[in-house]
Coordinates of all heavy atoms in Angstrom, one line a residue:
M1148 N -0.1 4.6 2.9 CA 1.0 4.7 3.9 C 2.1 3.8 3.4 O 2.3 2.7 3.9 CB 0.5 4.2 5.2 CG -0.6 5.0 5.9 SD -1.1 4.5 7.5 CE -0.8 2.8 7.7
P1149 N 2.9 4.3 2.4 CA 4.0 3.4 2.0 C 5.0 3.1 3.1 O 5.5 4.1 3.7 CB 4.6 4.2 0.8 CG 4.2 5.6 1.0 CD 2.9 5.5 1.8
D1150 N 5.3 1.9 3.3 CA 6.2 1.6 4.4 C 7.3 0.6 3.8 O 8.2 0.2 4.6 CB 5.6 1.0 5.6 CG 4.8 -0.3 5.4 OD1 4.7 -0.7 4.2 OD2 4.4 -0.9 6.3
N1151 N 7.2 0.3 2.6 CA 8.3 -0.6 1.9 C 8.6 0.0 0.6 O 7.7 0.3 -0.2 CB 7.7 -2.0 1.8 CG 7.5 -2.7 3.1 OD1 8.5 -3.0 3.8 ND2 6.3 -2.8 3.5
L1152 N 9.9 0.2 0.3 CA 10.3 0.7 -1.0 C 11.4 -0.2 -1.5 O 12.2 -0.8 -0.8 CB 11.0 2.1 -0.8 CG 10.1 3.2 -0.2 CD1 10.9 4.4 0.1 CD2 8.9 3.5 -1.1
R1153 N 11.4 -0.3 -2.9 CA 12.5 -1.1 -3.5 C 12.6 -0.6 -5.0 O 11.7 -0.1 -5.5 CB 12.2 -2.6 -3.5 CG 11.0 -3.0 -4.3 CD 10.9 -4.5 -4.3 NE 11.9 -5.1 -5.2 CZ 11.7 -6.1 -6.0 NH1 10.6 -6.7 -6.1 NH2 12.7 -6.5 -6.7
W1154 N 13.8 -0.8 -5.5 CA 14.0 -0.5 -6.9 C 13.7 -1.7 -7.7 O 14.0 -2.8 -7.4 CB 15.5 0.0 -7.2 CG 15.7 1.3 -6.7 CD1 16.4 1.7 -5.6 CD2 15.4 2.5 -7.4 NE1 16.5 3.1 -5.5 CE2 15.8 3.6 -6.6 CE3 14.7 2.8 -8.5 CZ2 15.6 4.9 -6.9 CZ3 14.5 4.2 -8.9 CH2 14.9 5.2 -8.1
S1155 N 13.0 -1.5 -8.9 CA 12.8 -2.5 -9.8 C 13.1 -2.0 -11.2 O 12.4 -1.2 -11.8 CB 11.3 -2.9 -9.8 OG 11.0 -3.9 -10.8
G1156 N 14.3 -2.3 -11.6 CA 14.8 -1.7 -12.9 C 15.1 -0.2 -12.6 O 15.8 0.2 -11.7
D1157 N 14.4 0.7 -13.4 CA 14.6 2.1 -13.2 C 13.4 2.8 -12.5 O 13.2 4.0 -12.6 CB 14.8 2.8 -14.6 CG 13.6 2.6 -15.5 OD1 12.7 1.7 -15.2 OD2 13.6 3.2 -16.6
R1158 N 12.6 2.0 -11.8 CA 11.4 2.5 -11.2 C 11.5 2.2 -9.6 O 12.0 1.1 -9.2 CB 10.1 1.8 -11.7 CG 9.9 1.8 -13.1 CD 9.4 3.1 -13.6 NE 9.4 3.2 -15.1 CZ 8.6 3.9 -15.7 NH1 7.7 4.7 -15.1 NH2 8.7 3.9 -17.0
L1159 N 11.0 3.1 -8.9 CA 10.9 2.9 -7.4 C 9.5 2.4 -7.1 O 8.5 3.0 -7.5 CB 11.1 4.3 -6.7 CG 11.1 4.2 -5.2 CD1 12.3 3.3 -4.6 CD2 11.2 5.6 -4.6
I1160 N 9.4 1.3 -6.4 CA 8.2 0.6 -6.1 C 7.9 0.9 -4.6 O 8.7 0.6 -3.8 CB 8.2 -0.9 -6.4 CG1 8.6 -1.2 -7.8 CG2 6.8 -1.5 -6.1 CD1 7.7 -0.7 -8.9
A1161 N 6.7 1.3 -4.3 CA 6.3 1.6 -3.0 C 5.1 0.6 -2.7 O 4.2 0.4 -3.5 CB 5.8 3.0 -2.7
A1162 N 5.0 0.1 -1.5 CA 3.9 -0.8 -1.1 C 3.6 -0.5 0.4 O 4.5 -0.2 1.2 CB 4.4 -2.3 -1.2
G1163 N 2.3 -0.6 0.7 CA 1.9 -0.4 2.1 C 0.4 -0.4 2.2 O -0.4 -0.5 1.3
P1164 N -0.1 -0.4 3.5 CA -1.5 -0.5 3.7 C -2.2 0.8 3.4 O -1.5 1.9 3.3 CB -1.6 -0.8 5.3 CG -0.3 -0.2 5.8 CD 0.7 -0.4 4.7
M1165 N -3.5 0.7 3.2 CA -4.3 1.9 2.9 C -4.3 2.8 4.2 O -4.5 2.3 5.3 CB -5.7 1.6 2.5 CG -5.7 0.8 1.1 SD -4.8 1.7 -0.2 CE -5.7 3.2 -0.3
H1166 N -4.1 4.1 4.0 CA -4.1 5.0 5.1 C -5.5 5.2 5.7 O -5.7 5.2 6.9 CB -3.6 6.4 4.6 CG -3.6 7.5 5.6 ND1 -2.9 7.5 6.8 CD2 -4.4 8.6 5.6 CE1 -3.2 8.6 7.5 NE2 -4.1 9.3 6.8
D1167 N -6.5 5.4 4.8 CA -7.8 5.7 5.2 C -8.8 4.6 4.6 O -9.0 4.6 3.4 CB -8.3 7.1 4.8 CG -9.6 7.5 5.4 OD1 -10.2 6.7 6.1 OD2 -10.0 8.7 5.1
E1168 N -9.3 3.8 5.5 CA -10.2 2.7 5.0 C -11.5 2.9 5.8 O -11.6 2.7 7.0 CB -9.7 1.3 5.3 CG -10.6 0.2 5.0 CD -11.1 0.2 3.6 OE1 -10.3 0.2 2.6 OE2 -12.3 0.2 3.4
P1169 N -12.6 3.5 5.1 CA -13.8 3.8 5.8 C -14.4 2.6 6.6 O -15.0 2.8 7.7 CB -14.8 4.2 4.7 CG -13.8 4.7 3.6 CD -12.6 3.8 3.7
T1170 N -14.3 1.4 6.1 CA -14.9 0.3 6.8 C -14.1 -0.1 8.1 O -14.6 -0.9 8.9 CB -15.0 -1.0 5.9 OG1 -13.6 -1.4 5.5 CG2 -15.8 -0.8 4.7
C1171 N -12.9 0.5 8.2 CA -12.1 0.3 9.4 C -12.2 1.5 10.4 O -11.4 1.6 11.3 CB -10.6 0.0 9.0 SG -10.4 -1.5 8.2
G1172 N -13.1 2.4 10.2 CA -13.3 3.5 11.1 C -12.5 4.7 10.8 O -12.3 5.6 11.5
G1173 N -11.9 4.8 9.6 CA -11.1 5.9 9.1 C -9.6 5.6 9.1 O -9.2 4.5 8.9
T1174 N -8.8 6.7 9.4 CA -7.4 6.5 9.3 C -6.9 5.6 10.5 O -7.5 5.5 11.5 CB -6.7 7.9 9.4 OG1 -6.9 8.4 10.7 CG2 -7.1 8.8 8.3
R1175 N -5.7 5.1 10.3 CA -5.1 4.2 11.3 C -4.9 5.0 12.6 O -5.1 4.5 13.7 CB -3.7 3.7 10.8 CG -3.0 2.8 11.7 CD -3.7 1.4 11.6 NE -2.9 0.4 12.2 CZ -2.7 0.2 13.5 NH1 -3.2 0.9 14.4 NH2 -1.9 -0.8 13.9
L1176 N -4.5 6.3 12.5 CA -4.3 7.1 13.7 C -5.6 7.4 14.4 O -5.6 7.4 15.6 CB -3.6 8.5 13.3 CG -3.3 9.4 14.4 CD1 -2.3 8.8 15.4 CD2 -2.7 10.7 13.8
A1177 N -6.7 7.5 13.6 CA -8.0 7.8 14.2 C -8.5 6.7 15.1 O -9.3 6.9 16.0 CB -9.0 8.2 13.2
V1178 N -8.0 5.5 14.8 CA -8.6 4.3 15.5 C -7.5 3.6 16.4 O -7.7 2.5 16.9 CB -9.1 3.2 14.6 CG1 -10.3 3.8 13.8 CG2 -8.1 2.7 13.6
V1179 N -6.4 4.3 16.7 CA -5.3 3.8 17.4 C -5.7 3.2 18.8 O -5.0 2.3 19.3 CB -4.1 4.8 17.5 CG1 -4.4 5.9 18.5 CG2 -2.8 4.1 17.9
D1180 N -6.7 3.7 19.4 CA -7.1 3.3 20.7 C -8.1 2.1 20.7 O -8.5 1.6 21.7 CB -7.7 4.5 21.5 CG -6.7 5.5 21.9 OD1 -5.5 5.2 22.1 OD2 -7.1 6.7 21.9
S1181 N -8.5 1.7 19.5 CA -9.4 0.6 19.4 C -8.7 -0.7 18.9 O -8.3 -0.7 17.7 CB -10.6 0.9 18.4 OG -11.3 -0.2 18.1
E1182 N -8.5 -1.6 19.8 CA -7.8 -2.9 19.4 C -8.5 -3.6 18.2 O -7.9 -4.0 17.3 CB -7.8 -3.8 20.6 CG -6.9 -5.0 20.3 CD -6.8 -5.9 21.5 OE1 -6.8 -5.4 22.6 OE2 -6.6 -7.2 21.3
E1183 N -9.8 -3.6 18.2 CA -10.6 -4.2 17.1 C -10.4 -3.5 15.8 O -10.1 -4.2 14.8 CB -12.1 -4.3 17.4 CG -12.9 -5.0 16.4 CD -14.4 -5.0 16.7 OE1 -14.7 -4.9 17.9 OE2 -15.1 -5.2 15.7
L1184 N -10.4 -2.2 15.8 CA -10.3 -1.4 14.5 C -8.9 -1.4 14.0 O -8.6 -1.3 12.8 CB -10.9 0.0 14.7 CG -12.4 0.0 14.8 CD1 -12.8 1.5 15.1 CD2 -13.1 -0.6 13.6
T1185 N -7.9 -1.5 14.9 CA -6.5 -1.5 14.4 C -6.1 -2.8 13.8 O -5.2 -2.9 13.0 CB -5.5 -1.2 15.6 OG1 -5.7 -2.1 16.6 CG2 -5.6 0.2 16.1
R1186 N -6.9 -3.9 14.1 CA -6.6 -5.2 13.4 C -7.5 -5.3 12.1 O -7.3 -6.3 11.4 CB -7.0 -6.3 14.4 CG -6.1 -6.5 15.5 CD -6.3 -7.8 16.2 NE -7.7 -8.1 16.4 CZ -8.4 -8.0 17.6 NH1 -7.7 -7.6 18.6 NH2 -9.7 -8.3 17.7
C1187 N -8.3 -4.3 11.8 CA -9.1 -4.3 10.6 C -8.2 -4.4 9.3 O -7.2 -3.7 9.2 CB -10.0 -3.1 10.6 SG -11.1 -3.0 9.2
H1188 N -8.6 -5.3 8.4 CA -7.9 -5.4 7.1 C -8.2 -4.2 6.2 O -9.3 -4.0 5.8 CB -8.3 -6.7 6.4 CG -7.9 -7.9 7.2 ND1 -6.7 -8.5 7.1 CD2 -8.5 -8.6 8.2 CE1 -6.6 -9.5 7.9 NE2 -7.7 -9.6 8.6
R1189 N -7.1 -3.4 6.0 CA -7.3 -2.1 5.3 C -7.1 -2.3 3.8 O -7.3 -1.3 3.0 CB -6.3 -1.1 5.8 CG -6.6 -0.8 7.2 CD -5.6 0.2 7.8 NE -6.2 0.8 9.0 CZ -7.0 1.8 9.0 NH1 -7.3 2.5 7.9 NH2 -7.6 2.2 10.1
G1190 N -6.6 -3.4 3.3 CA -6.2 -3.4 1.9 C -4.8 -2.8 1.7 O -4.2 -2.3 2.7
Y1191 N -4.3 -2.8 0.5 CA -3.0 -2.2 0.3 C -3.0 -1.6 -1.1 O -3.9 -1.7 -1.9 CB -1.9 -3.3 0.4 CG -2.0 -4.3 -0.6 CD1 -1.3 -4.2 -1.8 CD2 -2.8 -5.5 -0.5 CE1 -1.3 -5.2 -2.8 CE2 -2.8 -6.4 -1.5 CZ -2.1 -6.3 -2.6 OH -2.1 -7.2 -3.6
M1192 N -1.9 -0.9 -1.3 CA -1.6 -0.3 -2.7 C -0.1 -0.5 -3.0 O 0.7 -0.3 -2.1 CB -2.0 1.1 -2.7 CG -1.7 1.7 -4.1 SD -2.1 3.5 -4.2 CE -3.9 3.5 -4.1
N1193 N 0.1 -0.8 -4.2 CA 1.5 -0.8 -4.8 C 1.5 0.2 -5.9 O 0.6 0.3 -6.7 CB 1.9 -2.2 -5.4 CG 2.1 -3.2 -4.4 OD1 2.1 -3.0 -3.2 ND2 2.3 -4.5 -4.8
A1194 N 2.5 1.0 -5.9 CA 2.7 2.0 -6.9 C 4.1 2.2 -7.3 O 5.0 1.8 -6.5 CB 2.1 3.4 -6.4
Q1195 N 4.4 2.7 -8.5 CA 5.7 2.9 -9.0 C 5.9 4.4 -9.3 O 5.0 5.0 -9.8 CB 6.0 2.0 -10.2 CG 5.3 2.5 -11.4 CD 5.6 1.6 -12.6 OE1 6.3 0.6 -12.5 NE2 5.2 2.0 -13.8
L1196 N 7.1 4.8 -9.0 CA 7.5 6.2 -9.3 C 8.5 6.2 -10.4 O 9.5 5.5 -10.4 CB 8.2 6.8 -8.0 CG 8.7 8.2 -8.2 CD1 7.5 9.2 -8.4 CD2 9.5 8.6 -7.0
D1197 N 8.2 7.0 -11.4 CA 9.1 7.2 -12.5 C 10.0 8.4 -12.1 O 9.6 9.5 -12.0 CB 8.4 7.6 -13.8 CG 9.3 7.7 -15.0 OD1 10.5 8.2 -14.8 OD2 8.9 7.5 -16.1
P1198 N 11.3 8.1 -11.8 CA 12.2 9.2 -11.3 C 12.4 10.3 -12.3 O 12.8 11.4 -11.9 CB 13.5 8.5 -10.9 CG 13.5 7.2 -11.7 CD 12.0 6.9 -12.0
R1199 N 12.2 10.1 -13.6 CA 12.4 11.1 -14.6 C 11.3 12.1 -14.5 O 11.5 13.3 -14.7 CB 12.6 10.5 -16.0 CG 13.9 9.8 -16.1 CD 14.1 9.3 -17.6 NE 13.1 8.3 -17.9 CZ 13.1 7.0 -17.6 NH1 14.1 6.5 -16.9 NH2 12.1 6.2 -18.0
T1200 N 10.1 11.6 -14.4 CA 8.9 12.5 -14.4 C 8.3 12.8 -13.1 O 7.5 13.7 -12.9 CB 7.8 11.9 -15.3 OG1 7.3 10.7 -14.7 CG2 8.3 11.6 -16.7
M1201 N 8.7 12.0 -12.0 CA 8.2 12.1 -10.7 C 6.7 11.8 -10.6 O 6.0 12.2 -9.8 CB 8.5 13.4 -10.0 CG 10.0 13.7 -9.9 SD 10.8 12.5 -8.9 CE 10.2 12.8 -7.3
A1202 N 6.2 11.0 -11.6 CA 4.8 10.6 -11.7 C 4.6 9.2 -11.1 O 5.4 8.3 -11.4 CB 4.3 10.6 -13.1
W1203 N 3.6 9.1 -10.3 CA 3.3 7.8 -9.7 C 2.2 7.0 -10.5 O 1.3 7.6 -11.1 CB 2.6 7.9 -8.3 CG 3.6 8.3 -7.2 CD1 3.9 9.5 -6.8 CD2 4.5 7.4 -6.5 NE1 4.9 9.5 -5.8 CE2 5.2 8.2 -5.6 CE3 4.7 6.0 -6.5 CZ2 6.2 7.6 -4.7 CZ3 5.6 5.5 -5.6 CH2 6.3 6.3 -4.8
T1204 N 2.4 5.7 -10.7 CA 1.5 4.9 -11.4 C 1.0 3.7 -10.4 O 1.9 3.0 -9.9 CB 2.1 4.2 -12.6 OG1 2.6 5.3 -13.5 CG2 1.1 3.4 -13.4
V1205 N -0.3 3.6 -10.2 CA -0.8 2.5 -9.4 C -0.6 1.2 -10.1 O -1.0 1.0 -11.2 CB -2.2 2.7 -9.0 CG1 -2.8 1.6 -8.2 CG2 -2.4 4.0 -8.2
L1206 N 0.0 0.2 -9.4 CA 0.2 -1.1 -9.9 C -0.8 -2.1 -9.3 O -1.3 -3.0 -10.1 CB 1.6 -1.7 -9.5 CG 2.8 -0.9 -10.0 CD1 4.1 -1.4 -9.4 CD2 2.8 -0.9 -11.5
A1207 N -1.2 -1.9 -8.1 CA -2.2 -2.8 -7.5 C -3.0 -2.0 -6.4 O -2.4 -1.3 -5.6 CB -1.6 -4.0 -6.9
Y1208 N -4.3 -2.2 -6.4 CA -5.1 -1.5 -5.4 C -6.3 -2.4 -5.1 O -7.5 -2.0 -5.5 CB -5.5 -0.1 -5.9 CG -6.4 0.7 -5.0 CD1 -6.4 0.6 -3.7 CD2 -7.2 1.7 -5.6 CE1 -7.1 1.4 -2.9 CE2 -7.9 2.5 -4.8 CZ -7.9 2.4 -3.4 OH -8.7 3.2 -2.6
P1209 N -6.1 -3.6 -4.5 CA -7.2 -4.5 -4.3 C -8.1 -4.1 -3.1 O -7.7 -3.3 -2.2 CB -6.5 -5.8 -4.1 CG -5.2 -5.4 -3.5 CD -4.9 -4.1 -4.1
E1210 N -9.2 -4.7 -3.0 CA -10.1 -4.6 -1.9 C -9.5 -5.3 -0.7 O -8.6 -6.2 -0.8 CB -11.4 -5.3 -2.2 CG -12.2 -4.7 -3.3 CD -12.9 -3.4 -2.9 OE1 -13.3 -3.3 -1.7 OE2 -12.9 -2.5 -3.7
P1211 N -9.8 -4.9 0.6 CA -9.3 -5.6 1.7 C -9.6 -7.1 1.6 O -10.6 -7.5 1.1 CB -10.1 -5.0 2.9 CG -10.4 -3.6 2.4 CD -10.7 -3.8 0.9
N1212 N -8.7 -7.9 2.1 CA -8.8 -9.3 2.0 C -8.4 -10.0 3.4 O -7.3 -9.7 3.9 CB -7.8 -9.8 0.9 CG -7.8 -11.3 0.7 OD1 -8.2 -12.1 1.6 ND2 -7.4 -11.7 -0.4
L1213 N -9.3 -10.7 3.9 CA -9.1 -11.3 5.2 C -7.9 -12.3 5.2 O -7.3 -12.6 6.3 CB -10.4 -12.1 5.7 CG -11.5 -11.2 6.0 CD1 -12.8 -12.0 6.4 CD2 -11.2 -10.1 7.1
E1214 N -7.5 -12.8 4.1 CA -6.4 -13.8 4.0 C -5.1 -13.1 3.9 O -4.0 -13.7 4.0 CB -6.6 -14.6 2.7 CG -7.9 -15.3 2.6 CD -7.9 -16.7 3.3 OE1 -6.8 -17.3 3.2 OE2 -8.9 -17.1 3.8
L1215 N -5.1 -11.8 3.6 CA -3.8 -11.0 3.4 C -3.9 -9.7 4.3 O -4.5 -8.8 3.9 CB -3.7 -10.7 1.9 CG -2.4 -9.9 1.5 CD1 -1.2 -10.8 1.8 CD2 -2.5 -9.5 0.1
A1216 N -3.2 -9.7 5.4 CA -3.3 -8.6 6.3 C -2.3 -7.5 6.0 O -2.6 -6.3 6.2 CB -3.0 -9.1 7.7
V1217 N -1.2 -7.8 5.4 CA -0.1 -6.8 5.1 C 0.5 -7.1 3.7 O 0.4 -8.2 3.2 CB 1.0 -6.8 6.2 CG1 0.4 -6.3 7.5 CG2 1.7 -8.1 6.3
V1218 N 1.2 -6.1 3.2 CA 1.9 -6.3 2.0 C 3.4 -5.9 2.2 O 3.6 -4.9 2.9 CB 1.3 -5.6 0.8 CG1 1.3 -4.1 1.0 CG2 1.9 -5.9 -0.5
A1219 N 4.3 -6.6 1.7 CA 5.7 -6.2 2.0 C 6.4 -5.5 0.8 O 7.3 -4.7 1.0 CB 6.5 -7.5 2.3
T1220 N 6.0 -5.9 -0.4 CA 6.7 -5.3 -1.6 C 5.8 -5.4 -2.8 O 4.8 -6.1 -2.8 CB 8.1 -5.9 -1.8 OG1 8.8 -5.2 -2.8 CG2 7.9 -7.3 -2.2
G1221 N 6.2 -4.8 -3.9 CA 5.5 -5.0 -5.2 C 6.6 -5.1 -6.3 O 7.8 -4.8 -6.1
R1222 N 6.1 -5.5 -7.4 CA 7.0 -5.6 -8.6 C 6.3 -5.2 -9.8 O 5.1 -5.5 -10.0 CB 7.4 -7.1 -8.7 CG 8.4 -7.3 -9.8 CD 8.8 -8.7 -9.8 NE 9.4 -9.0 -11.1 CZ 9.7 -10.2 -11.5 NH1 9.4 -11.2 -10.8 NH2 10.2 -10.3 -12.7
N1223 N 7.0 -4.5 -10.7 CA 6.5 -4.1 -12.0 C 6.8 -5.1 -13.0 O 8.0 -5.4 -13.3 CB 7.2 -2.7 -12.3 CG 6.7 -2.2 -13.7 OD1 5.7 -2.7 -14.2 ND2 7.4 -1.3 -14.2
H1224 N 5.8 -5.7 -13.5 CA 5.9 -6.7 -14.6 C 5.8 -6.0 -15.9 O 4.8 -5.5 -16.3 CB 4.9 -7.8 -14.5 CG 5.0 -8.7 -13.3 ND1 5.9 -9.7 -13.2 CD2 4.4 -8.6 -12.1 CE1 5.8 -10.3 -12.0 NE2 4.9 -9.6 -11.3
R1225 N 6.9 -6.0 -16.7 CA 6.9 -5.4 -18.0 C 7.0 -6.4 -19.1 O 7.6 -7.4 -19.0 CB 8.0 -4.4 -18.2 CG 7.9 -3.2 -17.3 CD 8.9 -2.2 -17.8 NE 9.2 -1.4 -16.7 CZ 9.9 -0.3 -16.8 NH1 10.3 0.1 -18.0 NH2 10.2 0.5 -15.8

């Protein structure tokens, strides 16, 4: 569920929470009525888009972490 975009050089970086996290009861929409499951840490993903090829490359895809509830942005280190 990319909800933050930024340019880093010639790449578009997307960051956001995982859409479907099985340990959180499924998709965010599926658990919208459960206060406990909507607070579940879903993990996140950062990916970059190469505008020339329109191909996505995953930069970060860590496990859910109780210390980090959301992600705001990502950066491509070259």
Side-chain angles (χ1 to χ4, degrees):
M1148 293 184 337
D1150 63 353
N1151 294 286
L1152 300 171
R1153 69 176 285 220
W1154 284 103
S1155 178
D1157 61 348
R1158 308 280 173 154
L1159 181 65
I1160 306 293
M1165 295 306 300
H1166 173 67
D1167 188 359
E1168 175 58 53
T1170 61
C1171 292
T1174 66
R1175 183 75 165 77
L1176 184 58
V1178 300
V1179 73
D1180 293 329
S1181 170
E1182 187 176 329
E1183 181 180 341
L1184 291 176
T1185 55
R1186 287 193 318 257
C1187 181
H1188 295 272
R1189 296 181 163 271
Y1191 67 91
M1192 181 182 288
N1193 287 354
Q1195 69 180 10
L1196 176 67
D1197 182 331
R1199 291 183 299 277
T1200 64
M1201 297 302 289
W1203 286 96
T1204 302
V1205 174
L1206 301 174
Y1208 182 25
E1210 296 287 322
N1212 181 336
L1213 295 177
E1214 305 269 327
L1215 181 64
V1217 296
V1218 63
T1220 190
R1222 182 175 164 195
N1223 179 14
H1224 293 279
R1225 292 193 207 191

